[in-house]
Amino acid sequence: EFKKEIRTTISFFSVDGLNDLALSVRLAGDKSKVVNVYLFTDIEGYLTNVGKFPYNFFALPIEVGVSIKDNACSVVEKQKDFEWTVTSYRLTAGSLIVLNKFKTERAKLLTHEAERNFQTLYGTEKYRETRSGDEVFTSEFLSLPAYSRGRKIVQGYSTDAQSGSIRFVTQGSFYWQGDKDCSFDVRTAYNEQYLFFLIRVKDDKVVGERVEGATTEKVEIWLDVANTNNRFMRVGAGGDKFRLTADSGIFSFVAIPGNFTDRKPSVVISSTDDLSEAQRQASQQVRVASSLTDSGYVMKIRIPFELLGFIGAPVEKSKITEYGCTVIVRDVDNEFRPEEETVIATSKFLNGNPSSYGSLLFIPDTMVYGEALNIYLDQIAERLKQLGL
């Protein structure tokens, strides 16, 4: 038996274009503060349940709601006063994935809004004055999930961050002709000793380093490894303040690809900190490699954790660890016109402002970034049992 009000919505959150169904249901007599959300899709002409998720409500069941829009099913949940979350689901290639999560909460006199898209790896952080609604801080960026080197990530989880939008062209947008002119994607990984970056650049005209000091393509990596629980704000006795100026723990690596023949790639290292002798020795272990491709070029960079002040990889067993990180590509189409350089980044990067950096996420081997459920798992398990496995 169901209560009278069963909230439903029909459109589609799967990629097949057929109508789907989402319901939020609370059973009559249920004393708990739980509403179950059911997702149904058309599979071979039958409406099939592909997801059931329990959501808690704070005061009333109506605080949990469902809607289908923009090829996604969104579930709204009130967790406590002034704190709401919106989780969006999409069914693709047999996997029900968490597409996006949005959260808003009170932060003293401000309202904090955070959004993470687990497929595009796009994220935002915003703070508004609660009374007026005026925006006082905003940061837009891409997240770089770093998995242990060699680990295989199954379909449904994104590993590469792609930057090819005008949103992250921080300089020279007048000369930028779109993602075919210059764009790139980044993949990161780690082992116990090193942090690895693989940057694949799409560039219609690659200008190598003809002679030392000449205008050329460059790739930059900026890291903020300061020990802070909130990389956007400083919390202190004088009140919370946004981290708008560079402080300790900032490292930059400017990698030059060379000319892809006799002039080898090189890297220039800078830091806000005075490096110890051990860090100076570790800097000698930084490696960079480059190669031309049919569509541009590839840069590979290896950074020892000891140089960044860590004993080993800063990975926790049951928690995703986050640090600030922005990758920048400087595109030059004419070495004799350096003023026409285009700068594309993985965040709305401002030099010297650590709160404008993107996000580097160290993922332990027991976790992944995002959520995905294969809707055929039960059938696969049953078939394996039939085969005697």
Side-chain angles (χ1 to χ4, degrees):
E1 182 182 358
F2 299 103
K3 284 200 170 182
K4 290 183 179 180
E5 68 278 10
I6 298 177
R7 293 174 297 282
T8 68
T9 178
I10 298 178
S11 184
F12 61 92
F13 56 85
S14 55
V15 296
D16 57 16
L18 301 176
N19 281 341
D20 301 318
L21 174 66
L23 306 92
S24 57
V25 179
R26 188 186 186 211
L27 295 176
D30 189 348
K31 303 299 183 181
S32 67
K33 290 189 174 183
V34 175
V35 171
N36 287 307
V37 172
Y38 294 85
L39 305 183
F40 294 86
T41 191
D42 187 312
I43 297 180
E44 297 181 352
Y46 294 91
L47 200 59
T48 305
N49 178 223
V50 294
K52 175 187 174 183
F53 305 99
Y55 277 85
N56 297 318
F57 62 87
F58 181 64
L60 298 171
I62 199 171
E63 293 166 350
V64 178
V66 293
S67 66
I68 300 178
K69 184 181 179 182
D70 298 331
N71 205 190
C73 177
S74 298
V75 182
V76 180
E77 174 190 22
K78 183 179 180 180
Q79 296 183 317
K80 59 183 180 181
D81 280 338
F82 313 112
E83 186 171 318
W84 294 81
T85 63
V86 181
T87 305
S88 298
Y89 299 91
R90 178 175 293 167
L91 182 64
T92 176
S95 292
L96 184 65
I97 62 173
V98 175
L99 180 68
N100 191 79
K101 280 195 175 183
F102 172 85
K103 182 175 183 178
T104 181
E105 60 186 343
R106 285 282 179 88
K108 297 183 179 178
L109 299 179
L110 301 176
T111 296
H112 173 220
E113 299 175 1
E115 181 180 5
R116 299 292 186 273
N117 189 304
F118 300 105
Q119 296 303 299
T120 65
L121 301 179
Y122 173 76
T124 62
E125 291 279 334
K126 295 181 179 180
Y127 288 85
R128 303 178 185 273
E129 290 186 355
T130 300
R131 289 187 176 181
S132 66
D134 293 340
E135 193 173 284
V136 296
F137 174 86
T138 182
S139 180
E140 295 182 66
F141 54 88
L142 296 176
S143 296
L144 309 180
Y147 293 95
S148 59
R149 197 177 190 196
R151 182 180 172 187
K152 301 296 183 183
I153 306 301
V154 299
Q155 186 174 359
Y157 303 99
S158 294
T159 57
D160 295 14
Q162 300 179 347
S163 183
S165 166
I166 189 66
R167 176 188 288 120
F168 295 136
V169 177
T170 61
Q171 178 183 317
S173 58
F174 179 80
Y175 308 105
W176 188 62
Q177 303 299 314
D179 61 346
K180 293 183 180 179
D181 180 9
C182 186
S183 58
F184 67 96
D185 62 73
V186 185
R187 178 178 294 187
T188 57
Y190 67 87
N191 61 18
E192 187 57 33
Q193 292 180 288
Y194 302 106
L195 174 62
F196 302 90
F197 288 85
L198 172 63
I199 302 103
R200 291 182 288 258
V201 182
K202 181 188 292 184
D203 192 345
D204 63 343
K205 186 177 182 181
V206 179
V207 176
E209 187 183 28
R210 182 174 50 84
V211 296
E212 185 175 358
T215 301
T216 182
E217 316 282 350
K218 293 178 183 177
V219 172
E220 299 179 10
I221 298 174
W222 290 76
L223 293 168
D224 173 19
V225 297
N227 184 17
T228 174
N229 292 325
N230 186 339
R231 65 185 185 86
F232 301 100
M233 300 188 74
R234 293 189 183 94
V235 179
D240 299 348
K241 297 180 180 179
F242 296 108
R243 297 179 65 231
L244 303 180
T245 57
D247 46 19
S248 62
I250 305 296
F251 290 82
S252 74
F253 302 83
V254 180
I256 300 172
N259 62 3
F260 306 101
T261 54
D262 59 312
R263 183 170 291 279
K264 302 301 181 183
S266 60
V267 60
V268 177
I269 305 169
S270 302
S271 175
T272 56
D273 301 346
D274 293 328
L275 301 183
S276 66
E277 182 59 31
Q279 287 176 299
R280 292 182 184 276
Q281 292 181 9
S283 68
Q284 302 301 313
Q285 300 176 39
V286 175
R287 296 289 183 270
V288 58
S290 64
S291 60
L292 277 173
T293 65
D294 293 339
S295 58
Y297 64 97
V298 172
M299 295 286 291
K300 297 179 181 180
I301 302 172
R302 185 188 78 177
I303 301 171
F305 284 117
E306 190 173 7
L307 170 60
L308 303 177
F310 300 114
I311 297 176
V315 182
E316 299 186 33
K317 290 184 178 180
S318 58
K319 177 183 175 182
I320 295 177
T321 308
E322 179 179 8
Y323 291 97
C325 176
T326 289
V327 177
I328 294 173
V329 169
R330 295 183 176 272
D331 179 42
V332 176
D333 288 337
N334 189 330
E335 64 176 305
F336 302 107
R337 294 182 180 178
E339 70 278 3
E340 296 182 3
E341 178 184 64
T342 298
V343 179
I344 307 175
T346 57
S347 70
K348 286 193 171 181
F349 180 80
L350 296 172
N351 194 12
N353 181 350
S355 68
S356 71
Y357 290 15
S359 178
L360 175 64
L361 304 171
F362 287 97
I363 316 293
D365 286 340
T366 56
M367 300 181 69
V368 288
Y369 185 58
E371 300 174 42
L373 173 66
N374 190 312
I375 64 173
Y376 299 111
L377 276 180
D378 291 340
Q379 293 94 318
I380 294 172
E382 182 62 29
R383 180 57 176 160
L384 290 175
K385 288 181 181 178
Q386 292 174 2
L387 294 174
L389 299 176

